[in-house]
Amino acid sequence: SKKIVIKIGSNTLANQDGTICKTFLQDLSKQISHLKDQGKQVVIVSSGARIAGVATLAKWMRKEDIHYKQALCAIGQVELMDAYRRVFEEEHIHIGQMLLTRDDFSDPHRTLNIRNTLFTLVDEGVIPIINENDTVSVEEIKIGDNDTLAALTTNLWNADLLILFSDIDGIYNKNPKTYKDAEFIEEVNNIDVLLKTIEIGTVNDFGTGGIATKIEAAKKVNNYGIPMILANGKKENILLKLLDGSEKGTVFL
Ligand code: ADP
């Protein structure tokens, strides 16, 4: 795979206390730098703005007002990008921020514009870091979760592979955090069959989409003939290991 989209979930990015995990980001930037040296191109879709916002302004945490939530994302997005910028700077790699909404994918004119921006950044060796623009996205007009945003981005960019990083090794027949005997599923060829055979458990901690949106994302990219891997982002060198086959996640083909 030459063109790879990597989605980082909130659970992967954050420590237990809600702060951004620096060692994870350092590890990630090193691996991406390595991939760039091999001639590969990478786009990141990253969650974590809300968590980073809460970590910065804890007193707002309990505010339920939608505008406070959006304001929290506005604050956290800066923290998030600052964390990315610092680690990529060490690798001498520039990053670019793209904040998108659902409209950007439904209006052909806007879609063309973001597509061109995306290609330009990547062609110039910059790593685009994409997130939903939560400051304009109220519930009704939201993409809603970054698994979907990552899938839309993958198709838009005509990527060769989508990797979703979460805090579990992949799909199991039931929630591995609840059931010790949950069985790992290595490969999925038929999503409809999968959905009939597994149990989708609840999401914990900072997660938003859960497993359902990850399976939906797989469906979206598989429709374009693009494979998706769901893997554990917390494992050391997981990105390189997935690509050389020494580590496994769940592969959707
Ligand atoms: P992220 O924030 O990384 O995008 P989420 O927390 O939203 O991820 O979703 C992943 C979580 O879904 C896992 O931590 C796991 O507890 C839960 N889950 C529920 N059912 C399953 C299942 N059948 N297989 C794997 N994980 C599951």
Side-chain angles (χ1 to χ4, degrees):
S1 327
K2 184 172 190 283
K3 299 165 71 177
I4 305 164
V5 175
I6 301 167
K7 184 258 175 176
I8 322 274
S10 299
N11 281 321
T12 315
L13 196 84
N15 296 311
Q16 285 296 298
D17 64 358
T19 55
I20 294 174
C21 182
K22 299 254 159 58
T23 48
F24 167 76
L25 283 184
Q26 262 157 1
D27 208 42
L28 181 78
S29 63
K30 285 204 178 75
Q31 293 178 75
I32 289 176
S33 170
H34 205 81
L35 292 180
K36 280 192 81 192
D37 292 343
Q38 295 173 1
K40 296 189 195 299
Q41 298 179 323
V42 174
V43 169
I44 295 175
V45 176
S46 181
S47 309
R50 210 180 63 81
I51 289 181
V54 170
T56 313
L57 250 179
K59 62 178 180 183
W60 282 11
M61 190 160 158
R62 292 186 196 291
K63 300 261 189 195
E64 281 304 313
D65 185 294
I66 176 76
H67 296 120
Y68 268 94
K69 286 186 179 168
Q70 291 179 298
L72 211 51
C73 291
I75 295 161
Q77 182 66 27
V78 179
E79 296 293 328
L80 185 66
M81 292 308 286
D82 184 52
Y84 274 107
R85 194 185 58 76
R86 282 164 194 263
V87 295
F88 276 108
E89 194 169 50
E90 279 171 39
E91 305 301 322
H92 309 287
I93 294 171
H94 288 292
I95 59 167
Q97 170 183 262
M98 292 180 73
L99 296 177
L100 306 178
T101 63
R102 195 168 71 181
D103 291 344
D104 296 324
F105 290 94
S106 51
D107 177 311
H109 192 72
R110 293 170 77 127
T111 306
L112 184 64
N113 277 327
I114 56 172
R115 194 171 185 273
N116 288 339
T117 307
L118 192 61
F119 273 91
T120 304
L121 286 169
V122 173
D123 285 347
E124 292 298 333
V126 177
I127 306 280
I129 300 183
I130 300 176
N131 198 1
E132 178 148 28
N133 190 351
D134 289 305
T135 60
V136 294
S137 296
V138 291
E139 218 56 64
E140 302 76 49
I141 58 157
K142 252 188 180 171
I143 298 171
D145 65 90
N146 274 353
D147 299 321
T148 305
L149 177 58
L152 293 171
T153 302
T154 301
N155 292 341
L156 180 77
W157 187 39
N158 293 118
D160 300 307
L161 175 67
L162 168 61
I163 299 175
L164 301 186
F165 279 139
S166 189
D167 60 347
I168 30 128
D169 290 348
I171 300 274
Y172 291 77
N173 66 339
K174 48 193 175 183
N175 192 346
K177 287 189 178 163
T178 319
Y179 302 97
K180 283 216 157 59
D181 63 338
E183 285 162 31
F184 184 67
I185 297 167
E186 225 173 80
E187 196 177 300
V188 178
N189 295 300
N190 188 323
I191 290 173
D192 294 327
V193 171
L194 175 84
L195 286 171
K196 281 183 196 133
T197 48
I198 68 162
E199 182 185 302
I200 294 175
T202 49
V203 187
N204 20 38
D205 298 339
F206 319 111
T208 44
I211 284 301
T213 55
K214 296 182 198 335
I215 295 171
E216 273 306 307
K219 218 179 214 175
K220 281 198 172 65
V221 299
N222 283 179
N223 274 340
Y224 280 74
I226 304 167
M228 185 188 100
I229 304 175
L230 172 63
N232 192 337
K234 294 264 194 195
K235 284 188 171 168
E236 207 181 333
N237 276 327
I238 182 72
L239 185 52
L240 301 178
K241 285 181 173 172
L242 282 174
L243 294 173
D244 74 16
S246 60
E247 274 280 4
K248 286 203 166 71
T250 299
V251 185
F252 294 79
L253 294 162

